[in-house]
Amino acid sequence: MKYLVFTFVLAVFSSAAFSQSGLSAELLTVSTHPFAGQNLSLHMHKIDKNGYITFEPGIIISYNRHIKKRISIKISTAALKDRFDTFAGYGTAMLKYKILKYYKHSVYAGAGLSVFYETDKSYIEDWINEDNYKLSGNTLYKISISGFLEYNYRINKKTDLVLSINHTHLKSFALGTGIRIKLPNPGGKGCDCPSFK
């Protein structure tokens, strides 16, 4: 829980200090675990019979700050109910790059450093710490490189519909959907409009 609070405070500070250009909120829904191993049989809320696809409800809050026309800094924090029916989340700082823009459609990709954390699962019978998470109190955590893909559809000048694939655990990916609100920049820099260079 302390990692969630720390990441959120960092995001808010960054927003104030660097005049963030966007705020988004997404709901997490379906997750896939293509590299699941020894704990696969313990997965709950299964969508397929084996547990490679599960329902993991959660939320992602993100701040974006444009530094170039196609490049921005994205700071996110997420909280979700994981496939073992326990609390999990992550905090991340990434560079986000606009791959494509056509009419109202935009596609982004990003990569950066994440802190993944989740409730200690040692009490679950037959659970194995196969990803070598470290333990702090009752929280498992690990720092790792992660990434995401994001599609935006412009609803109006200030609002985008967001669909994304997010790296929610070390070996898992989740579908997110939500809204991105563009925030005004007092300095007039960081805009991703056609006139910005």
Side-chain angles (χ1 to χ4, degrees):
M1 185 66 181
K2 62 184 178 181
Y3 298 107
L4 178 65
V5 174
F6 171 77
T7 307
F8 183 75
V9 170
L10 177 63
V12 172
F13 171 77
S14 300
S15 178
F18 300 109
S19 300
Q20 294 287 341
S21 60
L23 168 66
S24 64
E26 298 176 66
L27 294 178
L28 291 168
T29 54
V30 176
S31 296
T32 180
H33 319 283
F35 308 107
Q38 295 166 296
N39 295 316
L40 182 62
S41 63
L42 302 176
H43 289 187
M44 303 179 69
H45 312 297
K46 299 177 183 179
I47 294 177
D48 71 319
K49 65 178 182 179
N50 294 316
Y52 286 106
I53 303 173
T54 62
F55 178 61
E56 290 190 309
I59 188 169
I60 306 174
I61 303 295
S62 303
Y63 289 93
N64 294 270
R65 162 62 157 94
H66 285 274
I67 54 178
K68 295 287 184 180
K69 184 175 181 179
R70 287 182 174 265
I71 301 174
S72 59
I73 297 171
K74 179 178 180 179
I75 298 175
S76 303
T77 186
L80 61 144
K81 200 70 174 289
D82 69 16
R83 61 201 183 279
F84 301 101
D85 206 30
T86 63
F87 175 81
Y90 66 83
T92 184
M94 296 188 181
L95 283 178
K96 178 178 174 181
Y97 181 76
K98 184 187 293 182
I99 300 172
L100 174 68
K101 183 174 183 180
Y102 175 73
Y103 188 47
K104 295 184 177 183
H105 310 274
S106 300
V107 178
Y108 300 84
L113 197 63
S114 295
V115 179
F116 297 100
Y117 50 90
E118 54 190 57
T119 303
D120 180 20
K121 296 171 175 55
S122 58
Y123 69 91
I124 299 176
E125 187 176 358
D126 297 328
W127 178 82
I128 297 172
N129 187 6
E130 59 183 331
D131 294 323
N132 297 314
Y133 275 84
K134 295 181 179 180
L135 181 64
S136 176
N138 66 343
T139 302
L140 297 166
Y141 73 95
K142 194 162 188 177
I143 299 173
S144 178
I145 299 296
S146 64
F148 74 96
L149 286 173
E150 180 181 295
Y151 164 76
N152 288 181
Y153 176 80
R154 191 180 70 214
I155 298 172
N156 55 48
K157 290 183 178 180
K158 294 184 178 181
T159 309
D160 290 347
L161 171 67
V162 179
L163 296 174
S164 63
I165 299 174
N166 306 277
H167 192 186
T168 47
H169 308 291
L170 282 175
K171 298 178 181 179
S172 303
F173 305 92
L175 178 65
T177 182
I179 295 292
R180 176 178 179 236
I181 305 296
K182 297 177 182 177
L183 304 177
N185 189 324
K189 297 179 180 179
C191 175
D192 64 354
C193 53
S195 60
F196 178 65
K197 297 180 180 180

